[in-house]
Every structure is written in structure tokens, then in C-alpha cells.
Amino acid sequence: MTKTIQAVEQLEELLSEPTEPVVELMRRLHGDIILLGAAGKIGPSLARMASRASDLAGVRRRIIGVSRFSAPEEQARFHAYGVETIRCDLLDESAVAQLPPAPHVI
């Protein structure tokens, strides 16, 4: 029997659930992660999955979502998942140059 998804939050919970290989990857990965264009189609789910997997792996790291964040509620949603946000126009080279260094850029 197939489970019916009743709400967007329920879908987001399923999409961002890390598998054991993802948790293991986060256990082995060292350093922070920056996700460019994080407010796009898969960005929120990917950022939340990285945060959840890092927590399950017992690893403290910064997960940073970078985007224009044209709607204020977008940033709030990331913060609720434990993901930092930086507003940045990725077409502005000087703004991109100001992003914090991170060994993992997605």
C-alpha cells in the first residue's frame, strides 16, 4: 500500500531524509559546506539533508545556503533546519569573492 503525502512539510521530510551512505559520507567529510543557488528547486532539500546527515554522523560543521533569497520566508525556512544563509547575487563577482571559504562547494 502506498502512503499518500498530505502536506508539503511531509514531502520535505521525505526528500531530505539522509540515507546511511550519506550519513557515512558526512562522517568522513571534513569542513564546512556551501550550497550555491540554495533557494532553487532542490537546494532546500539538499541543504536540510546535509544538515540532518551531519547531525546523525555526530559532526559539527557549517552548512551555508547562498542565494538571492528573494522572499524572506525562504531564509527563515533554512534557519529552521539549522542551515546558515547568505544573500548573494551569484552573477556579481565581487559579492561571490566575499563568500566565506569552504572546502566543499555545491
Side-chain angles (χ1 to χ4, degrees):
M1 184 171 169
T2 308
K3 202 182 223 184
T4 303
I5 296 171
Q6 301 293 325
V8 172
E9 183 54 40
Q10 185 182 12
L11 176 62
E12 179 56 36
E13 183 73 21
L14 291 170
L15 291 174
S16 68
E17 185 175 351
T19 61
E20 188 52 43
V22 173
V23 174
E24 182 55 35
L25 172 68
M26 292 301 177
R27 197 172 281 122
R28 291 183 282 121
L29 209 60
H30 297 285
D32 299 335
I33 298 171
I34 283 190
L35 294 118
L36 302 177
K41 297 289 183 199
I42 66 168
S45 300
L46 186 59
R48 186 175 182 191
M49 181 185 293
S51 180
R52 292 174 72 186
S54 293
D55 290 346
L56 289 169
V59 177
R60 291 188 45 89
R61 71 167 45 91
R62 292 171 70 194
I63 309 292
I64 306 165
V66 178
S67 189
R68 287 180 303 175
F69 294 108
S70 45
E73 64 273 6
E74 291 176 325
Q75 281 184 281
R77 189 169 77 182
F78 278 80
H79 295 162
Y81 300 149
V83 177
E84 296 178 41
T85 60
I86 297 175
R87 291 183 76 145
C88 178
D89 180 349
L90 296 173
L91 296 176
D92 180 344
E93 290 181 30
S94 63
V96 171
Q98 298 300 313
L99 293 174
H104 310 288
V105 180
I106 301 171

